[in-house]
Amino acid sequence: MFKDKTILLIISGGIAAYKSLELIRGLRKNNARVRCILTKGGSEFVTPMSVSALSEHEVYTDLWSLKDEREMGHIQLSREADLIIVAPASANLIAKMAHGLADDLASTTLLASDKPILLAPAMNHMMWNNPATQDNIKTLTHRNIALIGPVSGEMACGETGLGRMGEPDDILCAIQGFFYDRPLNGLKAIVTSGPTFEPIDPVRFIGNRSSGKQGHAIATALVRAGADVHYISGSTHLPPPSGATEIKVETAQEMLKAVEHTLPADIFIGTAAVCDWTIDQTSTHKIKKEGDPPQLILKETSDILKTVATHKDRPHLVIGFGAETENLKENATNKLKRKNCDWLVGNDVSETQNVFGQDENQVCLFKYTDDRKDITYEEWDRMSKTRVAQKLVDEIIMTFEQTNRDNIHDITDTKNIATQ
Ligand code: C5P
């Protein structure tokens, strides 16, 4: 997978450093040349010996080592890499990158680099959520530095939250995306993501459960494939997908408006958990708790997916999502027909599947055949949301390659007819 590619892996301080050993193993297994820089903090968690043994190369640790400077300076280390990965990326190294500090080999190499950089942050959830870290992340994503993770779960300190480093397999998946030859270059994609919130009054709302992780992963994979991605998202805790244009919305109505404003596009993917109903008359003041509970009158929201799929500027490929708690196959097939989309990603969100807010998903892909007479169905294994996104984007790439081939045939056929 990574033949002839050189990956520079920077391992900074954090308990997640042990996962980097597995990452090196995965990179080597896929034929990448791996060079490693181990920061002082990183070497508290993994030894230079194990990093060197797995990467089958010496490890770089010291900016001032004469030997390093003569034989492999930090400039050359960054120049010979096709991609730089920082995993784990500590809050400290992220802060140094955001502010252009260069006081050790890792930060100096990063500052001297003109290569794509992928960060896999890992830290305590409070450190991740701290506005200082969030501001630094925003600065870095605006500079087109890509992020994978962090994910949520239990941490080494015993607390639970968002801050765990992504799994090595997900990082490998993100790396794979980096080495595409931008197959979706020139195509515009719209991805809706997250929940919509429908206000009851200025402080209360009804909403859907959605972390936005699946839509975020899809937008990220599309950016890597070279598409011009417009990410229209309801309220989530995720940073904007690096390289995408993010439009933040709150209600279904705002989401529809943003989508219509962004059309035309080549691809539409509706991962958003759009509320099916909104409050008929939102109160302009906070409804008092005293007295009888308010009788909320609901009205249906517009179906964004259906609107796009029947629009005069209908994208070439319209993909819907369908969360079901029962009869997945039957309901998903009906939804595909009813909403006039081309593909529908169905997922079982019954309690047994434990999908909401998790980093894994188990989906089935329903597709209309080209003549739209039949529907095919493929069940995917349970896998990370990053892998689901990558697999879906790989399918999209194949579809557009096929369309291009067909178009070329059409032109050739027309020419043949013309010359007959
Ligand atoms: O009908 P249901 O909500 O299950 O359909 C799910 C699909 O339709 C998702 O792709 C979702 O983004 C989209 N949807 C929409 N507008 C709505 C409701 C759902 O675009 N009002």
Side-chain angles (χ1 to χ4, degrees):
M1 195 157 46
F2 304 131
K3 195 167 176 295
D4 299 327
K5 301 291 180 203
T6 302
I7 312 274
L8 174 62
L9 172 65
I10 297 178
I11 305 172
S12 66
I15 185 73
Y18 78 91
K19 288 192 196 171
S20 303
L21 299 180
E22 209 180 316
L23 179 60
I24 299 172
R25 204 197 291 271
L27 287 167
R28 292 291 301 134
K29 213 166 124 195
N30 285 287
N31 304 316
R33 272 188 296 268
V34 185
R35 303 289 176 261
C36 295
I37 293 179
L38 190 58
T39 67
K40 198 164 176 293
S43 62
E44 298 288 336
F45 295 92
V46 290
T47 65
M49 182 77 90
S50 36
V51 175
S52 158
L54 287 169
S55 65
E56 298 167 67
H57 202 275
E58 83 176 273
V59 182
Y60 303 97
T61 51
D62 186 5
L63 179 60
W64 305 113
S65 150
L66 273 181
K67 185 167 170 283
D68 284 357
E69 277 303 302
R70 195 177 64 247
E71 288 179 3
M72 175 60 79
H74 59 274
I75 305 282
Q76 198 188 334
L77 255 181
S78 95
R79 290 299 178 273
E80 70 153 25
D82 294 292
L83 172 70
I84 302 180
I85 306 165
V86 190
S90 65
N92 181 46
L93 187 50
I94 287 171
K96 282 199 222 177
M97 287 175 75
H99 293 90
L101 297 184
D103 62 353
D104 63 359
L105 181 59
S107 52
T108 309
T109 306
L110 285 161
L111 194 64
S113 160
D114 59 352
K115 293 298 159 74
I117 299 174
L118 174 66
L119 297 183
M123 64 198 74
N124 170 277
H125 66 109
M126 296 283 218
M127 292 170 81
W128 172 253
N129 286 318
N130 190 299
T133 306
Q134 286 304 307
D135 283 351
N136 291 336
I137 289 290
K138 264 190 214 128
T139 305
L140 294 176
T141 49
H142 279 141
R143 287 183 206 152
N144 273 344
I145 288 180
L147 280 188
I148 168 93
V151 298
S152 49
E154 203 178 316
M155 326 209 126
C157 54
E159 294 179 6
T160 303
L162 191 62
R164 277 168 63 97
M165 186 169 101
E167 292 306 314
D169 186 48
D170 283 346
I171 301 176
L172 285 174
C173 187
I175 298 168
Q176 188 189 338
F178 264 99
F179 295 124
Y180 279 145
D181 196 13
R182 298 174 65 78
L184 297 181
N185 202 10
L187 297 182
K188 179 173 168 185
I190 302 176
V191 180
T192 65
S193 189
T196 69
F197 291 162
E198 310 299 326
I200 297 171
D201 65 19
V203 293
R204 305 178 180 98
F205 63 86
I206 56 169
N208 275 348
R209 293 178 68 184
S210 169
S211 64
K213 284 181 184 174
Q214 188 61 80
H216 192 277
I218 290 171
T220 306
L222 284 168
V223 169
R224 281 194 222 115
D228 167 23
V229 180
H230 297 254
Y231 176 75
I232 301 173
S233 171
S235 172
T236 73
H237 295 297
L238 301 170
S242 155
T245 304
E246 187 189 46
I247 304 163
K248 279 285 201 187
V249 296
E250 193 180 288
T251 64
Q253 187 56 30
E254 284 171 17
M255 187 170 274
L256 174 66
K257 228 170 122 191
V259 168
E260 286 189 307
H261 186 73
T262 313
L263 284 172
D266 303 283
I267 304 161
F268 176 83
I269 309 182
T271 57
V274 185
C275 274
D276 292 319
W277 305 283
T278 188
I279 310 297
D280 193 18
Q281 301 229 315
T282 303
S283 170
T284 49
H285 60 271
K286 185 179 172 192
I287 301 169
K288 290 275 167 243
K289 211 167 92 180
E290 293 78 36
D292 292 335
Q295 302 294 311
L296 299 177
I297 301 182
L298 303 176
K299 63 176 181 191
E300 228 177 278
T301 54
S302 316
D303 193 310
I304 303 168
L305 179 60
K306 198 168 168 184
T307 307
V308 172
T310 52
H311 202 274
K312 68 174 177 33
D313 290 326
R314 186 192 195 279
H316 179 79
L317 184 62
V318 177
I319 307 175
F321 268 67
E324 300 293 342
T325 52
E326 55 199 357
N327 300 336
L328 177 64
K329 200 167 169 187
E330 195 187 326
N331 288 335
T333 315
N334 287 339
K335 201 167 284 180
L336 180 70
K337 291 181 191 161
R338 202 173 61 241
K339 304 218 181 194
N340 193 38
C341 35
D342 302 299
W343 302 355
L344 192 117
V345 182
N347 61 340
D348 183 349
V349 291
S350 57
E351 271 174 30
T352 50
Q353 292 299 319
N354 194 18
V355 165
F356 283 123
Q358 299 299 311
D359 297 312
E360 286 192 334
N361 206 353
Q362 217 253 295
V363 306
C364 300
L365 181 60
F366 298 81
K367 281 180 175 176
Y368 261 122
T369 50
D370 286 347
D371 58 9
R372 285 185 97 77
K373 283 193 180 142
D374 236 327
I375 292 171
T376 62
Y377 155 78
E378 200 182 285
E379 199 172 325
W380 293 359
D381 292 338
R382 189 176 172 96
M383 58 183 94
S384 69
K385 289 181 177 172
T386 313
R387 274 255 170 238
V388 169
Q390 192 61 52
K391 205 163 147 64
L392 187 68
V393 170
D394 285 343
E395 295 269 344
I396 295 172
I397 293 167
M398 276 192 286
T399 298
F400 276 92
E401 280 170 356
Q402 181 62 40
T403 310
N404 283 344
R405 272 197 296 275
D406 292 348
N407 285 345
I408 289 165
H409 285 314
D410 283 353
I411 292 165
T412 322
D413 290 348
T414 319
K415 272 195 198 139
N416 286 346
I417 293 163
T419 51
Q420 269 166 15

